[in-house]
Amino acid sequence: MTIHDDAQQELATLFPDATTSLAETDPEFWAYHADFALGEVLAESALSRADRLTYQLAATIAVGAHAPFRSLLRAALEHGVTPVQVKEVAYQAVAYVGVARVVDFIAITNEVLTERGVALPLPGQSTTTPADRMDLGIAVQRQIVGTETVDAMYDDAPADALRFQRFLSANCFGDHYTRTGFDLQHRELITFALLVALGGADTQVKGHVAANRNVGTTRAQLLDVLTVLLPLVGYPRTLNGLAQVNAAAPAGDD
């Protein structure tokens, strides 16, 4: 088996100086996998290379894949993803997969940026203060999720669990979604990629499909993200994500 020309060209574009032992030790697997992941899959997605790499970086964080993240990170920085955006992907991931997993990816990012001569820390991207993060967070939460939905979440929460709604508004939305580096649509697609790759979060995936639609994302864009995640996260998580897209943004919904 040989790697098709389109896949070979993409491989050379993304990783011009990289070699893989799989080409020697597992040549049949490497050939058909590269043909699929870098040829067949990409032919079915209209995402720009920078956007595709952004969502794939998010997915590798969610599945805990250090080596693929490092490789994709180097490629992303060469193809339109800025150091600020890479950091923002990692920071946003904390809200969805937890700091215990993400801290290693922040460290990898710092190593790669330092290798490239990027001075750290990067310019701050926060637009909130401790005094206004709650108010600004709930405002952007209502913009993304919908005012009625957010109000119902507060109204329906038992008094002893109301803290979690406040955490969502002030931390998840106030600390993360109000930051610069990405617009709301890109942030929602990053969240979609994180949740699909994480697995076991079907309710949250469905909610963020609806949230994506609220900020202008089309069904086609959601399907394109699923398409480029498939080789990284496998069929079960991809098909579970597809089921939630079909439920919250059915064909013809655009």
Side-chain angles (χ1 to χ4, degrees), residues 83-154:
V84 164
Q85 289 174 328
V86 171
K87 279 294 189 83
E88 290 304 310
V89 170
Y91 294 165
Q92 188 168 326
V94 172
Y96 298 97
V97 306
V99 73
R101 175 166 295 182
V102 179
V103 67
D104 287 342
F105 292 93
I106 295 175
I108 292 169
T109 301
N110 290 340
E111 291 172 11
V112 172
L113 291 178
T114 300
E115 289 171 2
R116 297 171 63 88
V118 177
L120 298 175
L122 298 178
Q125 305 298 311
S126 179
T127 64
T128 64
T129 68
D132 63 17
R133 62 195 277 270
M134 180 68 179
D135 290 340
L136 295 177
I138 201 166
V140 76
Q141 184 183 12
R142 286 173 169 152
Q143 180 181 351
I144 294 169
V145 180
T147 296
E148 291 185 3
T149 300
V150 174
D151 289 348
M153 290 165 65
Y154 274 89

Coordinates of all heavy atoms in Angstrom, one line a residue, residues 83-154:
P83 N 0.2 31.9 18.9 CA 0.5 31.5 20.3 C -0.6 31.8 21.3 O -1.0 31.0 22.1 CB 1.8 32.3 20.6 CG 2.5 32.4 19.3 CD 1.4 32.7 18.3
V84 N -1.2 33.0 21.2 CA -2.3 33.4 22.0 C -3.5 32.4 21.8 O -4.1 31.9 22.8 CB -2.8 34.8 21.7 CG1 -4.2 35.0 22.3 CG2 -1.8 35.8 22.3
Q85 N -3.8 32.0 20.6 CA -4.9 31.1 20.4 C -4.6 29.7 20.9 O -5.5 29.1 21.5 CB -5.2 31.0 18.9 CG -5.9 32.3 18.4 CD -6.0 32.3 16.9 OE1 -5.2 31.8 16.1 NE2 -7.1 33.0 16.4
V86 N -3.4 29.2 20.8 CA -3.1 27.9 21.4 C -3.3 28.0 22.9 O -3.8 27.0 23.5 CB -1.6 27.6 21.0 CG1 -1.2 26.3 21.8 CG2 -1.4 27.3 19.5
K87 N -2.8 29.0 23.5 CA -3.0 29.1 25.0 C -4.5 29.2 25.3 O -4.9 28.6 26.3 CB -2.3 30.4 25.5 CG -0.8 30.2 25.7 CD -0.5 29.2 26.8 CE 1.0 29.3 27.2 NZ 1.3 30.3 28.2
E88 N -5.3 29.9 24.5 CA -6.7 30.0 24.8 C -7.4 28.7 24.7 O -8.3 28.4 25.4 CB -7.3 31.1 23.9 CG -6.9 32.5 24.2 CD -7.2 32.9 25.6 OE1 -8.3 32.7 26.1 OE2 -6.3 33.4 26.3
V89 N -7.0 27.8 23.7 CA -7.6 26.5 23.6 C -7.3 25.7 24.9 O -8.2 25.1 25.5 CB -7.0 25.7 22.4 CG1 -7.4 24.2 22.5 CG2 -7.4 26.3 21.1
A90 N -6.1 25.8 25.4 CA -5.8 25.1 26.6 C -6.5 25.6 27.8 O -7.1 24.9 28.7 CB -4.3 25.1 26.9
Y91 N -6.5 27.0 27.9 CA -7.2 27.6 29.1 C -8.7 27.2 29.1 O -9.3 26.9 30.1 CB -7.1 29.1 29.1 CG -5.7 29.6 29.2 CD1 -5.4 31.0 28.9 CD2 -4.7 28.9 29.7 CE1 -4.2 31.5 29.1 CE2 -3.4 29.4 29.9 CZ -3.1 30.7 29.6 OH -1.9 31.2 29.7
Q92 N -9.3 27.3 27.9 CA -10.8 27.0 27.8 C -11.0 25.5 28.1 O -12.1 25.1 28.7 CB -11.3 27.3 26.4 CG -12.8 27.2 26.3 CD -13.4 27.8 25.0 OE1 -12.8 28.8 24.6 NE2 -14.4 27.2 24.5
A93 N -10.1 24.6 27.8 CA -10.3 23.2 28.1 C -10.4 22.9 29.6 O -11.1 21.9 30.0 CB -9.1 22.4 27.5
V94 N -9.8 23.8 30.4 CA -9.9 23.5 31.9 C -11.4 23.5 32.3 O -11.7 22.6 33.2 CB -9.2 24.7 32.6 CG1 -9.4 24.5 34.1 CG2 -7.7 24.6 32.3
A95 N -12.2 24.3 31.7 CA -13.7 24.3 32.2 C -14.4 23.0 31.8 O -15.4 22.6 32.4 CB -14.4 25.5 31.5
Y96 N -13.8 22.2 30.9 CA -14.6 21.1 30.3 C -13.9 19.7 30.7 O -14.6 18.7 30.8 CB -14.8 21.2 28.8 CG -15.6 22.4 28.6 CD1 -15.1 23.6 28.2 CD2 -17.0 22.3 28.7 CE1 -15.9 24.7 28.0 CE2 -17.8 23.5 28.5 CZ -17.2 24.6 28.2 OH -18.0 25.8 28.0
V97 N -12.6 19.7 30.8 CA -11.9 18.5 31.1 C -11.1 18.5 32.4 O -10.6 17.5 32.9 CB -11.0 18.0 30.0 CG1 -11.7 17.9 28.7 CG2 -9.7 18.9 29.8
G98 N -11.0 19.7 33.0 CA -10.4 19.9 34.3 C -8.9 20.2 34.3 O -8.2 19.8 33.4
V99 N -8.4 21.0 35.2 CA -7.1 21.4 35.3 C -6.1 20.2 35.5 O -4.9 20.3 35.0 CB -6.9 22.5 36.3 CG1 -6.9 21.9 37.7 CG2 -5.6 23.3 36.1
A100 N -6.5 19.2 36.1 CA -5.6 18.0 36.4 C -5.1 17.5 35.1 O -3.9 17.0 35.0 CB -6.4 17.0 37.2
R101 N -5.9 17.5 34.0 CA -5.5 17.0 32.7 C -4.8 18.1 31.9 O -3.8 17.9 31.3 CB -6.7 16.4 31.9 CG -6.3 16.0 30.5 CD -7.4 15.2 29.9 NE -7.5 13.9 30.6 CZ -8.3 12.9 30.2 NH1 -9.1 13.1 29.2 NH2 -8.4 11.8 30.9
V102 N -5.3 19.3 32.0 CA -4.8 20.4 31.1 C -3.5 20.9 31.5 O -2.7 21.4 30.6 CB -5.9 21.5 31.0 CG1 -5.4 22.6 30.1 CG2 -7.2 21.0 30.5
V103 N -3.1 20.9 32.8 CA -1.9 21.5 33.2 C -0.7 21.0 32.4 O 0.3 21.7 32.1 CB -1.7 21.4 34.7 CG1 -1.5 19.9 35.1 CG2 -0.6 22.3 35.2
D104 N -0.7 19.7 32.1 CA 0.4 19.1 31.3 C 0.5 19.7 29.9 O 1.6 19.9 29.4 CB 0.3 17.6 31.3 CG 0.6 16.9 32.6 OD1 1.3 17.6 33.4 OD2 0.2 15.7 32.7
F105 N -0.7 20.0 29.3 CA -0.7 20.5 28.0 C -0.3 22.0 28.0 O 0.3 22.5 27.0 CB -2.1 20.3 27.4 CG -2.4 18.9 27.1 CD1 -3.1 18.1 28.1 CD2 -2.0 18.3 26.0 CE1 -3.4 16.8 27.9 CE2 -2.3 16.9 25.7 CZ -2.9 16.2 26.7
I106 N -0.6 22.7 29.0 CA -0.1 24.1 29.2 C 1.5 24.0 29.2 O 2.2 24.9 28.6 CB -0.7 24.8 30.4 CG1 -2.2 25.0 30.2 CG2 0.0 26.2 30.6 CD1 -2.9 25.6 31.4
A107 N 2.0 23.1 30.0 CA 3.5 23.0 30.1 C 4.1 22.6 28.7 O 5.1 23.2 28.4 CB 3.8 21.9 31.1
I108 N 3.5 21.7 28.0 CA 4.0 21.4 26.6 C 3.9 22.6 25.8 O 4.9 22.9 25.0 CB 3.1 20.2 26.0 CG1 3.4 18.9 26.8 CG2 3.5 20.0 24.6 CD1 2.4 17.8 26.4
T109 N 2.8 23.3 25.8 CA 2.7 24.6 25.0 C 3.8 25.5 25.4 O 4.5 26.1 24.5 CB 1.4 25.2 25.2 OG1 0.3 24.3 24.9 CG2 1.2 26.5 24.4
N110 N 4.1 25.7 26.6 CA 5.2 26.6 27.1 C 6.5 26.2 26.5 O 7.4 27.0 26.1 CB 5.2 26.7 28.6 CG 4.0 27.5 29.1 OD1 3.4 28.2 28.4 ND2 3.7 27.3 30.4
E111 N 6.8 24.8 26.6 CA 8.0 24.3 26.1 C 8.2 24.6 24.6 O 9.3 25.0 24.1 CB 8.1 22.8 26.3 CG 8.2 22.4 27.7 CD 8.1 20.9 27.9 OE1 8.1 20.2 26.9 OE2 7.9 20.4 29.0
V112 N 7.1 24.3 23.8 CA 7.2 24.5 22.4 C 7.3 26.0 22.0 O 8.1 26.4 21.1 CB 6.0 23.9 21.7 CG1 5.9 24.3 20.2 CG2 6.0 22.4 21.8
L113 N 6.6 26.9 22.7 CA 6.7 28.3 22.4 C 8.1 28.8 22.8 O 8.7 29.6 22.1 CB 5.6 29.1 23.2 CG 4.2 28.9 22.8 CD1 3.3 29.6 23.7 CD2 4.0 29.3 21.3
T114 N 8.7 28.3 23.9 CA 10.0 28.8 24.3 C 11.0 28.3 23.3 O 11.9 29.1 22.9 CB 10.3 28.2 25.7 OG1 9.4 28.7 26.6 CG2 11.7 28.6 26.1
E115 N 10.9 27.1 22.7 CA 11.8 26.6 21.7 C 11.7 27.5 20.5 O 12.7 27.7 19.8 CB 11.3 25.2 21.3 CG 11.6 24.1 22.3 CD 11.0 22.8 21.9 OE1 10.3 22.7 20.8 OE2 11.1 21.8 22.6
R116 N 10.6 28.1 20.2 CA 10.4 29.0 19.0 C 10.8 30.4 19.3 O 10.6 31.3 18.5 CB 8.9 28.9 18.5 CG 8.5 27.5 18.1 CD 7.0 27.4 17.8 NE 6.6 28.3 16.7 CZ 6.6 28.0 15.4 NH1 7.0 26.8 15.1 NH2 6.2 28.9 14.5
G117 N 11.2 30.7 20.5 CA 11.7 32.1 20.9 C 10.5 33.0 21.2 O 10.7 34.2 21.2
V118 N 9.4 32.4 21.6 CA 8.3 33.3 22.0 C 8.4 33.6 23.5 O 8.5 32.7 24.3 CB 6.9 32.5 21.8 CG1 5.7 33.4 22.3 CG2 6.8 32.2 20.3
A119 N 8.4 34.9 23.8 CA 8.5 35.3 25.2 C 7.3 35.1 26.0 O 6.1 35.3 25.5 CB 8.8 36.8 25.2
L120 N 7.5 34.5 27.2 CA 6.4 34.2 28.1 C 6.5 35.1 29.3 O 7.6 35.4 29.7 CB 6.4 32.8 28.5 CG 6.2 31.8 27.3 CD1 6.3 30.3 27.8 CD2 4.8 32.0 26.7
P121 N 5.4 35.5 29.9 CA 4.0 35.2 29.6 C 3.6 36.0 28.4 O 4.1 37.0 28.0 CB 3.2 35.6 30.8 CG 4.0 36.7 31.4 CD 5.5 36.3 31.2
L122 N 2.5 35.5 27.7 CA 1.9 36.2 26.5 C 1.1 37.3 27.1 O 0.8 37.4 28.2 CB 1.1 35.2 25.7 CG 1.8 34.0 25.1 CD1 0.7 33.1 24.4 CD2 2.9 34.5 24.1
P123 N 0.8 38.3 26.2 CA -0.1 39.4 26.6 C -1.4 38.8 27.2 O -2.0 37.9 26.7 CB -0.3 40.2 25.3 CG 0.8 39.9 24.5 CD 1.2 38.4 24.8
G124 N -1.9 39.5 28.2 CA -3.2 39.0 28.8 C -4.4 39.2 27.9 O -4.4 40.1 27.1
Q125 N -5.3 38.3 28.0 CA -6.5 38.3 27.2 C -7.8 38.5 28.0 O -8.9 38.6 27.4 CB -6.6 37.1 26.4 CG -5.4 36.7 25.5 CD -5.1 37.8 24.5 OE1 -6.0 38.2 23.7 NE2 -3.9 38.2 24.4
S126 N -7.7 38.7 29.3 CA -8.9 38.8 30.1 C -9.5 40.2 29.9 O -8.9 41.2 29.8 CB -8.5 38.7 31.6 OG -9.6 38.8 32.4
T127 N -10.9 40.2 29.9 CA -11.6 41.4 29.8 C -12.5 41.7 31.0 O -13.3 42.6 31.0 CB -12.5 41.4 28.5 OG1 -13.5 40.4 28.7 CG2 -11.7 41.2 27.3
T128 N -12.3 40.9 32.0 CA -13.2 41.0 33.3 C -12.3 41.3 34.5 O -11.0 41.1 34.4 CB -14.0 39.7 33.5 OG1 -13.1 38.6 33.8 CG2 -14.9 39.4 32.3
T129 N -12.9 41.7 35.5 CA -12.2 41.8 36.8 C -13.0 41.0 37.9 O -14.1 40.5 37.6 CB -12.3 43.3 37.3 OG1 -13.7 43.6 37.6 CG2 -11.8 44.2 36.2
P130 N -12.4 40.8 39.0 CA -13.1 40.0 40.1 C -14.5 40.6 40.4 O -15.4 39.9 40.8 CB -12.1 40.1 41.2 CG -10.8 40.2 40.6 CD -11.0 41.0 39.4
A131 N -14.6 41.9 40.2 CA -15.8 42.6 40.6 C -16.9 42.4 39.5 O -18.1 42.4 39.9 CB -15.6 44.1 40.8
D132 N -16.6 42.2 38.2 CA -17.6 42.2 37.2 C -17.7 40.9 36.5 O -18.5 40.7 35.6 CB -17.4 43.3 36.2 CG -16.1 43.3 35.4 OD1 -15.5 42.2 35.4 OD2 -15.8 44.3 34.8
R133 N -16.9 39.9 36.8 CA -16.8 38.6 36.1 C -18.2 37.9 36.1 O -18.6 37.3 35.2 CB -15.7 37.7 36.6 CG -15.9 37.3 38.0 CD -14.6 36.7 38.6 NE -14.4 35.3 38.3 CZ -14.9 34.3 39.1 NH1 -15.6 34.6 40.2 NH2 -14.7 33.0 38.8
M134 N -18.9 38.0 37.2 CA -20.2 37.3 37.4 C -21.2 38.0 36.4 O -21.9 37.3 35.7 CB -20.7 37.4 38.8 CG -22.1 36.8 39.0 SD -22.0 35.0 38.8 CE -23.7 34.5 39.1
D135 N -21.3 39.3 36.4 CA -22.3 40.0 35.6 C -22.0 39.8 34.1 O -22.8 39.6 33.3 CB -22.3 41.5 35.9 CG -22.9 41.8 37.3 OD1 -23.6 40.9 37.8 OD2 -22.6 42.9 37.9
L136 N -20.7 40.0 33.8 CA -20.3 39.8 32.3 C -20.4 38.4 31.9 O -20.8 38.1 30.8 CB -18.9 40.3 32.1 CG -18.7 41.8 32.3 CD1 -17.2 42.2 32.2 CD2 -19.6 42.6 31.4
G137 N -20.1 37.4 32.8 CA -20.3 36.0 32.5 C -21.7 35.6 32.2 O -22.0 34.9 31.3
I138 N -22.6 36.1 33.1 CA -24.0 35.7 32.9 C -24.6 36.3 31.7 O -25.4 35.8 31.0 CB -24.9 36.0 34.1 CG1 -26.1 35.1 34.1 CG2 -25.2 37.4 34.3 CD1 -26.9 35.1 35.5
A139 N -24.1 37.5 31.3 CA -24.5 38.2 30.1 C -24.1 37.4 28.8 O -24.9 37.2 27.9 CB -23.9 39.6 30.0
V140 N -22.9 36.9 28.8 CA -22.4 36.1 27.6 C -23.1 34.7 27.7 O -23.4 34.1 26.6 CB -20.9 36.1 27.6 CG1 -20.3 35.1 28.6 CG2 -20.4 35.7 26.2
Q141 N -23.3 34.2 28.9 CA -24.0 32.9 29.0 C -25.4 33.0 28.4 O -25.8 32.1 27.6 CB -24.1 32.5 30.4 CG -24.7 31.1 30.7 CD -24.8 30.8 32.1 OE1 -24.6 31.6 33.0 NE2 -25.0 29.5 32.4
R142 N -26.1 34.1 28.7 CA -27.4 34.3 28.1 C -27.4 34.5 26.6 O -28.3 34.0 25.9 CB -28.1 35.5 28.8 CG -28.6 35.2 30.2 CD -29.1 36.5 30.9 NE -29.8 36.1 32.1 CZ -29.8 36.9 33.2 NH1 -29.3 38.1 33.1 NH2 -30.5 36.5 34.3
Q143 N -26.3 35.1 26.1 CA -26.2 35.3 24.7 C -26.0 34.0 24.0 O -26.5 33.7 22.9 CB -25.0 36.2 24.4 CG -24.7 36.5 22.9 CD -23.5 37.4 22.7 OE1 -22.9 37.9 23.7 NE2 -23.1 37.5 21.5
I144 N -25.2 33.1 24.6 CA -24.9 31.8 24.0 C -26.0 30.8 24.2 O -26.4 30.1 23.2 CB -23.5 31.3 24.5 CG1 -22.4 32.2 24.1 CG2 -23.2 29.9 24.0 CD1 -21.1 31.9 24.8
V145 N -26.4 30.6 25.4 CA -27.3 29.6 25.8 C -28.8 30.0 25.6 O -29.7 29.1 25.3 CB -27.0 29.1 27.2 CG1 -28.0 28.0 27.6 CG2 -25.6 28.6 27.3
G146 N -29.1 31.3 25.8 CA -30.4 31.8 25.8 C -30.9 32.2 27.2 O -30.7 31.5 28.2
T147 N -31.5 33.4 27.2 CA -31.9 33.9 28.5 C -32.9 33.0 29.3 O -32.7 32.8 30.5 CB -32.6 35.3 28.3 OG1 -31.6 36.2 27.7 CG2 -33.1 35.9 29.6
E148 N -33.9 32.5 28.6 CA -34.8 31.6 29.2 C -34.2 30.4 29.8 O -34.5 30.0 30.9 CB -35.9 31.2 28.2 CG -36.9 32.4 27.8 CD -38.0 31.9 27.0 OE1 -38.1 30.7 26.7 OE2 -38.8 32.8 26.5
T149 N -33.3 29.8 29.1 CA -32.6 28.6 29.6 C -31.8 28.9 30.8 O -31.8 28.2 31.8 CB -31.7 28.0 28.5 OG1 -32.5 27.7 27.3 CG2 -30.9 26.8 29.0
V150 N -31.0 30.0 30.8 CA -30.2 30.4 31.9 C -31.0 30.7 33.1 O -30.7 30.2 34.2 CB -29.3 31.6 31.6 CG1 -28.5 32.0 32.8 CG2 -28.3 31.2 30.5
D151 N -32.1 31.5 32.9 CA -33.0 31.8 34.0 C -33.6 30.5 34.6 O -33.7 30.4 35.9 CB -34.1 32.7 33.6 CG -33.5 34.2 33.3 OD1 -32.4 34.4 33.6 OD2 -34.3 35.0 32.7
A152 N -34.0 29.6 33.8 CA -34.5 28.3 34.3 C -33.5 27.5 35.1 O -33.9 26.9 36.1 CB -35.1 27.5 33.1
M153 N -32.3 27.6 34.7 CA -31.2 26.9 35.4 C -31.1 27.4 36.8 O -30.9 26.6 37.8 CB -29.9 27.0 34.6 CG -29.8 26.2 33.3 SD -28.5 26.7 32.2 CE -27.1 26.2 33.2
Y154 N -31.2 28.7 37.0 CA -31.1 29.3 38.3 C -32.4 29.0 39.1 O -32.4 28.6 40.3 CB -30.9 30.8 38.2 CG -29.4 31.2 38.1 CD1 -28.8 31.3 36.8 CD2 -28.7 31.4 39.2 CE1 -27.5 31.6 36.7 CE2 -27.3 31.8 39.1 CZ -26.7 31.8 37.9 OH -25.4 32.2 37.8

